[in-house]
Amino acid sequence: MVVVSQRQEEPIWIGRGMDAVGAKFTAFLATKNVVPYPDKYVGSSELHPLQFVSEELQRRSWDRGRIGVETDDYYYTAKWDAILKRIFRMPNSSTRSCWSIAAG
């Protein structure tokens, strides 16, 4: 998953630890912007990677304003969308599909 902030020079990449090694070699990002999530989020019925993403965004103070997501994506499921909307029910943020912006 790639997270972009208009206020930052670089996006951040967040993904599985095993994929972070490749991301460091193939993405032109500072090391601090390649963020692996722990294996405890993989295949868990109690934890979801978007929970880690939410925590990372809050840690960086990127959890304010609009949060756009690419909803026309093979890996972005209805479950992911529901989890994202539940996580970001915060007074300082809202979610919005970016697909209609790009398509329109």
Side-chain angles (χ1 to χ4, degrees):
M1 173 176 291
V2 175
V3 181
V4 177
S5 170
Q6 293 177 334
R7 296 184 181 111
Q8 301 299 317
E9 189 173 320
E10 284 188 350
I12 56 174
W13 177 95
I14 302 173
R16 298 181 308 171
M18 64 186 281
D19 296 326
V21 176
K24 289 178 184 177
F25 289 110
T26 59
F28 294 99
L29 296 172
T31 303
K32 69 178 183 172
N33 292 328
V34 175
V35 183
Y37 54 77
D39 284 341
K40 67 182 182 178
Y41 289 92
V42 179
S44 172
S45 60
E46 298 173 11
L47 295 172
H48 195 276
L50 279 176
Q51 291 170 297
F52 181 86
V53 172
S54 171
E55 292 165 7
E56 182 66 20
L57 295 181
Q58 290 173 24
R59 189 181 70 73
R60 292 175 182 245
S61 297
W62 289 21
D63 60 321
R64 306 197 183 313
R66 286 197 182 127
I67 299 169
V69 295
E70 175 55 69
T71 55
D72 189 32
D73 182 77
Y74 178 79
Y75 295 103
Y76 189 80
T77 65
K79 179 179 179 179
W80 278 58
D81 195 57
I83 291 169
L84 183 72
K85 287 176 180 173
R86 185 179 70 236
I87 289 172
F88 284 106
R89 282 197 185 140
M90 295 182 260
N92 298 320
S93 69
S94 64
T95 59
R96 182 173 178 186
S97 170
C98 292
W99 185 83
S100 60
I101 297 169

